[in-house]
């Protein structure tokens, strides 16, 4: 077990502060401690980032890319250590953790290159003595508030474009899984980033968020987490008119039409639903299957689910690890019990277990689901897939859109015409068509409606950290 420290202005900070424990949800063992920082530490980090901004933003994109590429290399060289840290602090199966480290590193590499393609614009003038131009500038000091479910990738998806664009950053990782982020700070140190460019504070979320939201020096907040917290940040950003990027909750529908290749659909739902034990914002939360293929789909789906091995993520053969904590387990239990009470059937799974101090739920397929059930309305964040039979394509589309969320959706059909028409009517920021794993560094990730504001990844991901400055040049 290691006592980790915060990273502020190039120094390890917080030795004299109280600490909080980080526990492995597979065993309930303490695997590390972090300092409980508050407003003072957040303000020190903000000041450091503010002081470092001038020098960092004055470097060329080519110069900044040198640091980012070194950081990318170090992430890959330290893949195993980062993956193991992730697995013991939040339960992700080790093979998935290794995959996440590569995925996380890909954001750093991609944005190191993308910053070289941030172009301004020359706009045709209407007057011969004027020239009209658009310049792009880094937005300033950025605060990044990251979630526990992807401790590396959700951080680098924010850090990569922010740093590449010329911004400096203050990071607040989740208290559930801060250790991977803290290891990443050690690698940033090794990569030689100038002091103050990257800072990380741990501790009280409310106190750190208060300092960040009240500070006039912080010009942008980028947050991944619940819609509930996102709404609070929107309100708190008003006084200083901060720019916000919010990647919030989802409630993804997955539609299987009569003409789908059922094997492809089962592969897709397995990839989408059981990654990270169903604790992803884009995982399929409700499955709508047209009646012609319902029985075949449910049978093949249940067979595939029965083959998943549940256990401690450190075991190489485990497919589904624990849930993040007891509250997560209670929520899953409540959703499943509610569905049973309202007439759903358990096709397979449905059992909670707290063996060896861990918090596990067996991968579960629920049949005969309907919209009255809580799990068909709210994010379950667990390895549970409710399946509802539908008669028509239009019924599936109406049910899919009947939610305040709009992050991700999935459609399985072999018909180009049907797929195109269905997707045109779906109000979701990300759609997988015959595909259960749509994420990548180079694509825009984000949601419509209450699933958020803005996009991360891809070209939109760097635009989110840039200001547009219009320059009118008067000439003789
Ligand atoms: C998330 O759902 O929270 C992120 C998943 C991803 O980037 O694929």
């Amino acid at each position: 077990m290691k006592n980790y420290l915060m990273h502020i202005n190039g120094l390890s900070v917080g030795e004299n502060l109280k600490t909080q424990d980080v526990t492995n949800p597979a065993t309930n063992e303490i695997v590390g401690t972090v300092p409980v920082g508050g407003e003072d530490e957040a303000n020190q980090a903000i000041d450091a980032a503010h002081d470092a901004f001038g020098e960092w933003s004055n470097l060329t994109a080519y110069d900044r890319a040198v640091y980012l590429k070194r950081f990318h290399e170090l992430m890959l060289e330290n893949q195993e250590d980062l993956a193991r840290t992730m697995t013991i602090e939040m339960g992700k199966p080790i093979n998935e953790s290794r995959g996440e480290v590569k995925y996380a590193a890909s954001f750093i590499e991609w944005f190191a290159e993308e910053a070289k393609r941030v172009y301004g614009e020359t706009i045709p003038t209407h007057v011969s003595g004027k020239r009209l131009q658009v310049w792009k500038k880094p937005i300033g000091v950025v605060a990044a508030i990251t979630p526990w479910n992807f401790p590396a990738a959700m951080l680098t998806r924010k850090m990569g474009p922010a740093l590449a664009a010329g911004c400096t950053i203050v990071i607040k990782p989740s208290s559930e899984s801060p250790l991977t982020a803290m290891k990443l700070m050690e690698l940033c140190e090794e990569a030689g980033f100038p002091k103050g460019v990257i800072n990380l504070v741990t501790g009280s979320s409310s106190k750190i968020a208060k300092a960040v939201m009240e500070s006039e020096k912080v010009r942008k907040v980028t947050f991944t987490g619940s819609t509930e917290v996102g709404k609070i940040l929107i309100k708190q950003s008003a006084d200083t008119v901060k720019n916000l990027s919010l990647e919030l909750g989802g409630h993804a529908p997955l539609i299987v039409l009569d003409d789908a290749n059922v094997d492809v659909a089962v592969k897709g739902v397995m990839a989408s639903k059981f990654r990270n034990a169903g604790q992803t914002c884009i995982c399929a939360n409700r499955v709508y299957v047209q009646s012609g293929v319902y029985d075949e789909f449910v049978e093949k789906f249940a067979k595939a689910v029965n083959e998943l091995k549940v256990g401690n993520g450190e075991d190489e053969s485990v497919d589904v690890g624990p849930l993040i904590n007891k509250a997560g387990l209670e929520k899953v239990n409540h959703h499943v019990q509610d569905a049973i009470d309202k007439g759903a059937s358990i096709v397979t799974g449905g059992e909670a277990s707290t063996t060896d101090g861990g918090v596990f739920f067996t991968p579960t397929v629920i049949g005969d689901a309907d919209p009255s059930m809580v799990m068909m309305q709210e994010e379950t964040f667990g390895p549970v897939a409710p399946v509802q039979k539908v008669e028509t394509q239009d019924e599936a589309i109406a049910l899919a859109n009947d939610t305040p969320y709009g992050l991700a959706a999935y459609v399985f059909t072999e018909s180009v015409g049907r797929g195109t028409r269905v997707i045109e009517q779906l109000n979701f920021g990300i759609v997988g068509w015959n595909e259960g794993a749509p994420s990548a560094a180079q694509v825009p990730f984000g949601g419509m409606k209450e699933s958020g504001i803005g996009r991360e990844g891809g070209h939109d991901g760097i635009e989110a950290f840039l200001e547009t400055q219009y320059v009118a040049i008067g000439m003789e």
Side-chain angles (χ1 to χ4, degrees):
M1 198 204 58
K2 180 172 162 187
N3 301 319
Y4 289 75
L5 292 175
M6 296 187 277
H7 182 78
I8 301 178
N9 207 20
L11 299 171
S12 296
V13 173
E15 225 162 354
N16 300 323
L17 292 174
K18 276 193 200 158
T19 57
Q20 62 192 189
D21 298 337
V22 179
T23 51
N24 182 342
T27 60
N28 203 28
E29 277 164 359
I30 298 172
V31 292
T33 71
V34 300
V36 182
E39 281 179 67
D40 285 350
E41 290 71 26
N43 281 319
Q44 284 165 27
I46 292 166
D47 288 345
H50 191 253
D51 292 346
F53 178 72
E55 201 181 315
W56 182 249
S57 59
N58 272 328
L59 294 179
T60 66
Y62 285 80
D63 292 333
R64 289 192 293 266
V66 174
Y67 293 96
L68 288 160
K69 286 187 170 177
R70 181 68 191 127
F71 178 39
H72 169 252
E73 278 165 16
L74 286 168
M75 284 186 73
L76 296 182
E77 281 167 23
N78 290 275
Q79 182 188 18
E80 196 57 24
D81 182 38
L82 291 166
R84 292 209 170 270
T85 304
M86 195 183 303
T87 292
I88 61 168
E89 71 170 334
M90 51 75 68
K92 189 169 287 190
I94 187 67
N95 283 314
E96 270 192 51
S97 295
R98 290 181 185 124
E100 181 178 337
V101 175
K102 275 179 93 172
Y103 176 47
S106 74
F107 288 105
I108 301 298
E109 182 189 37
W110 198 81
F111 282 108
E113 290 302 326
E114 186 63 1
K116 299 173 188 170
R117 291 181 282 274
V118 168
Y119 302 118
E121 222 181 331
T122 299
I123 298 174
T125 184
H126 56 299
V127 181
S128 66
K130 269 191 204 177
R131 295 292 179 269
L132 316 179
Q133 295 192 354
V134 175
W135 296 0
K136 293 285 177 178
K137 307 176 69 164
I139 203 161
V141 173
V142 170
I145 307 175
T146 59
W148 54 262
N149 61 344
F150 288 87
M154 296 306 98
L155 174 54
T156 56
R157 191 153 74 186
K158 298 174 190 337
M159 258 173 99
L163 296 171
C167 298
T168 53
I169 192 162
V170 174
I171 298 156
K172 164 66 179 78
S174 162
S175 299
E176 303 284 354
S177 62
L179 307 184
T180 309
M182 294 169 102
K183 289 238 162 181
L184 289 174
M185 293 304 101
E186 290 166 15
L187 300 184
C188 288
E189 193 64 31
E190 202 177 328
F193 282 94
K195 73 182 171 71
V197 170
I198 304 166
N199 308 274
L200 178 145
V201 280
T202 50
S204 160
S205 299
S206 57
K207 289 183 186 159
I208 294 166
K210 183 172 183 294
V212 159
M213 299 313 287
E214 284 178 358
S215 171
E216 286 176 5
K217 292 178 181 168
V218 176
R219 294 315 314 145
K220 164 123 199 164
V221 173
T222 170
F223 168 74
T224 296
S226 71
T227 295
E228 195 189 341
V229 174
K231 287 180 183 180
I232 295 171
L233 294 178
I234 292 172
K235 288 187 188 136
Q236 290 179 340
S237 65
D239 283 347
T240 52
V241 192
K242 285 192 208 316
N243 184 303
L244 292 178
S245 287
L246 302 175
E247 203 265 272
L248 307 178
H251 198 252
L254 185 146
I255 299 171
V256 183
L257 296 177
D258 270 348
D259 64 354
N261 177 327
V262 172
D263 295 322
V264 170
V266 169
K267 191 167 165 244
V269 71
M270 293 299 291
S272 167
K273 179 73 253 185
F274 296 104
R275 174 178 172 224
N276 203 20
Q279 302 171 112
T280 70
C281 305
I282 59 167
C283 74
N285 276 271
R286 28 196 189 115
V287 183
Y288 301 111
V289 183
Q290 224 177 337
S291 50
V293 288
Y294 181 88
D295 291 340
E296 181 190 353
F297 174 84
V298 171
E299 190 194 321
K300 289 184 169 170
F301 186 24
K303 185 167 177 290
V305 169
N306 280 331
E307 283 164 15
L308 294 174
K309 181 171 171 190
V310 184
N312 186 333
E314 287 177 88
D315 176 342
E316 297 277 342
S317 63
V318 157
D319 303 298
V320 177
L323 296 172
I324 187 66
N325 53 29
K326 282 200 177 110
L329 183 66
E330 275 161 25
K331 184 178 186 194
V332 174
N333 253 332
H334 163 63
H335 280 204
V336 171
Q337 197 49 55
D338 168 83
I340 294 169
D341 292 347
K342 289 173 178 162
S345 55
I346 303 272
V347 182
T348 187
E351 281 156 38
S353 133
T354 48
T355 340
D356 300 330
V359 276
F360 297 95
F361 202 88
T362 50
T364 300
V365 177
I366 301 234
D368 307 311
D370 73 47
S372 73
M373 297 165 188
V374 178
M375 66 170 60
M376 300 301 274
Q377 305 297 334
E378 291 174 20
E379 233 176 351
T380 302
F381 242 54
V384 179
V387 189
Q388 176 173 347
K389 190 189 283 186
V390 294
E391 292 307 323
T392 66
Q393 178 176 311
D394 286 346
E395 185 188 356
I397 295 167
L399 285 164
N401 281 332
D402 187 16
T403 171
Y405 299 107
L407 185 54
Y410 303 86
V411 182
F412 290 83
T413 169
E414 291 296 293
S415 156
V416 173
R418 283 184 93 185
T420 306
R421 283 196 195 92
V422 170
I423 293 167
E424 281 170 355
Q425 293 175 76
L426 288 176
N427 303 321
F428 294 83
I430 301 161
V431 181
W433 179 357
N434 293 338
E435 175 59 56
S439 307
Q442 66 274 30
V443 300
F445 186 106
M448 298 181 184
K449 304 197 296 191
E450 293 191 18
S451 286
I453 298 175
R455 297 291 181 270
E456 296 187 311
H459 185 68
D460 299 38
I462 198 156
E463 274 295 323
F465 296 95
L466 295 167
E467 285 282 16
T468 294
Q469 186 172 48
Y470 159 55
V471 182
I473 307 170
M475 298 182 341
E476 297 280 306

